[in-house]
Structure formats: structure tokens, C-alpha cells
Amino acid sequence: MVNSQNGLINVKINGCLSVSTALMDNGSDVTLINECLFNNLLACGVQLSITTHMDGTTLTAFFNTTHTVTETVSLDEVVFDTRAGPLVLRQLQAWIVRDNAVSPLLIVSRQILQILGLDMESILANAAAQQSEWVITGINPMIPNTPYGKVCRVLNIMGDSESLDTLD
């Protein structure tokens, strides 16, 4: 289920690892997992299909922080816990971000969200159908010190380990 306080989703990956740090990110061009999640899957004994890309690709995160990635992994089964029952994604391809994060993380890209029928235009159209004007008050602009807040600080997740240590 989605935790409404932090926006993260509970998932089970390849039948062995349950994590509550999956983020559906409409702003992400790519799906990725971090090194902590990758290592946890290996520790479970999961056989992973990894592809090395010689040239790799450079990901640009929030605050224009960049991180070069050279490996993708195929996740055989990613099961999202929803109110309507399980939603299973098979053969989900994700870049592996080699970082120093201490919490496992899966970020699902905009392209996957669009395949699932979730896009910004639909979300905004649904909100407009409910009412044409919304007054947004009482929202603190500061990023909270929660797991979601940490995810929002993509700068830290993408390799700034000194700042990441100060988030706990």
C-alpha cells in the first residue's frame, strides 16, 4: 500500500525481498535501484540478470547532480501491494546506481507510469473534473526528515554520502 504520509510504496521483489521504499516518480526518465537494494537481492540468493553497458549513461538528478551508471538489472517480478490487490510488473529493467545509501530504493520511471495509465495530464484532468480551483494552504515547503524526504534529496542518494549521513 502507499503510505500517504511519505508517498512510498510497499513492494516485493523477485519473491524474496520486501521493501517499503519504492517511489513512483513522474519526474524520472529512468527506472533505477540503488546499490543497497541490489546487494539485498543478492543476499537473498536471487539470480539476477545484469547487463554492463560499456559507455554507460549519465543521470542528472535534482540540483543538477550527475551520476554515471553502467549496469542494468532485470527484476523478474516486482509486486506492488495495492487496495485492489497485487499489481505485478515482470521483467522490469532498472539502472543500478552505485551509491553509499543505507536504505534500499526503487524508483519507477515516468515511462512505466504511463504504461500503467498514470500520467500528469490525467491526474490534472481528474483534479479539474472535481473542481476547477484548489486553494493549497498549510503545506510546509521544507522537505520533511522522513524516508520520503530523503528520497526527495536525490542529490544525496546519487552519491553525496557526506550529506546523506547527516539526514539520519
Side-chain angles (χ1 to χ4, degrees):
M1 296 287 230
V2 175
N3 182 326
S4 61
Q5 291 186 345
N6 63 22
L8 297 173
I9 302 166
N10 297 323
V11 297
K12 189 167 191 175
I13 301 172
N14 287 14
C16 84
L17 183 64
S18 293
V19 296
S20 60
T21 51
L23 179 65
M24 308 301 261
D25 188 352
N26 192 53
S28 179
D29 293 330
V30 297
T31 295
L32 60 87
I33 67 171
N34 68 356
E35 189 170 20
C36 181
L37 178 56
F38 177 75
N39 290 336
N40 286 345
L41 287 167
L42 291 177
C44 284
V46 173
Q47 297 293 325
L48 295 172
S49 174
I50 301 163
T51 303
T52 300
H53 306 270
M54 298 312 272
D55 293 333
T57 191
T58 300
L59 305 178
T60 303
F62 202 54
F63 297 120
N64 288 325
T65 301
T66 60
H67 194 80
T68 300
V69 290
T70 59
E71 300 166 296
T72 55
V73 62
S74 179
L75 303 173
D76 291 337
E77 180 183 78
V78 178
V79 181
F80 294 88
D81 181 21
T82 76
R83 285 189 303 256
L87 171 65
V88 181
L89 301 182
R90 299 209 182 270
Q91 305 305 312
L92 182 64
Q93 302 294 312
W95 286 99
I96 302 169
V97 176
R98 301 291 183 173
D99 60 5
N100 296 319
V102 296
S103 297
L105 176 66
L106 164 66
I107 295 180
V108 178
S109 71
R110 173 180 48 258
Q111 182 182 20
I112 304 303
L113 295 176
Q114 289 171 340
I115 289 169
L116 297 175
L118 211 116
D119 62 86
M120 268 303 151
E121 173 59 30
S122 297
I123 292 169
L124 294 173
N126 184 44
Q130 292 178 47
Q131 60 189 55
S132 63
E133 185 175 323
W134 296 74
V135 177
I136 309 297
T137 60
I139 304 295
N140 184 342
M142 300 302 294
I143 297 173
N145 192 18
T146 64
Y148 178 69
K150 292 178 187 178
V151 171
C152 287
R153 296 178 180 106
V154 176
L155 163 72
N156 298 309
I157 292 170
M158 301 305 283
D160 186 351
S161 61
E162 291 178 5
S163 295
L164 182 61
D165 293 338
T166 66
L167 294 176
D168 294 324

